[in-house]
Amino acid sequence: MKIQLLPSTFDAQGMATLEQRLTCFVIDDCVAVDAGSIAIALNGEQRNTVRDIIVTHPHMDHVASLPIFIDDLYPSLQEPVRIYATAEVIELLERDVFNWNVYPRFSDLKNDYGPVMEYIPIPIGAPFRVAHLNVVAVPVNHIVPTVGLVVSDGETSVAFSSDTAETDEFWKIVNEMKGLDALLIEASFPDRMAKLAHVSRHFTPASLGRELKKLTHNGMDIMAVHLKPSYREEIVEQLAALNIPKLGVMEPGRVYEW
Ligand SMILES: [Zn+2]
Ligand SMILES: [Zn+2]
């Protein structure tokens, strides 16, 4: 499975910077997990192939350029962009984003080929199919309804925590996946901001270190993501000081293969 965390910003030479402001992972060039930077960072080919998007929660950094992505593709879409989310997240997207005020309600609109956007409500705790992938979603501990995911292509499995603080259900499904290849987990704030991390339901390196003790098997790569750009260096140092084998920081723009 090929996974790329899309970059959010580019330097003057057009190279991706390491700062991750927006969240969007692309799996095998066709499925996106969240859509923060989807309209600004997909390459030309991916723009033509990504039609399935799983939205873990409606926070701006995860959906910021989703409306623009659909807008850009509007006249040329020969099939709808499919948005996979829990019923409560779909409701929030319709109420707060695609509400005719912030942006058009694309789910009501058609181009010459048919509908341009379609919602697919996803179950909790039961597998569902997204393109060639099997996915299981479970609630995590964030301030809005949010799901973590385990995604498998039959050979490889990768878990995505999305935004979360201390949680249990996610670890239950992660622990059941004995052959898990990679765990992509958030580490948003440095340790000195533990209070803010706590109220906004995010991890610091210290709380992530404690949380990873819930893992009952190991050997998979553990990639930290969602590092707030203003504190990136500090978080990277604190993660390294945890001395957890195979714990690294995912680089935006780079393609990882598992
Ligand atoms: Zn969030
Ligand atoms: Zn976020």
Side-chain angles (χ1 to χ4, degrees), residues 46-63:
Q46 290 167 332
R47 273 166 62 92
N48 295 324
T49 51
V50 175
R51 293 294 178 266
D52 295 290
I53 303 170
I54 307 170
V55 176
T56 65
H57 69 299
H59 275 162
M60 185 60 95
D61 52 321
H62 298 254
V63 300

Side-chain angles (χ1 to χ4, degrees), residues 131-190:
H132 61 301
L133 302 170
N134 260 317
V135 184
V136 179
V138 286
V140 289
N141 176 18
H142 198 34
I143 40 178
V144 291
T146 304
V147 291
L149 307 169
V150 175
V151 174
S152 312
D153 65 5
E155 280 178 19
T156 306
S157 308
V158 176
F160 297 77
S161 73
S162 189
D163 292 8
T164 188
E166 291 75 5
T167 185
D168 289 313
E169 254 176 284
F170 178 69
W171 296 111
K172 197 170 162 268
I173 58 159
V174 165
N175 285 333
E176 280 164 9
M177 295 289 302
K178 297 293 179 223
L180 195 70
D181 296 279
L183 166 63
L184 277 41
I185 186 139
E186 77 124 283
S188 297
F189 291 106

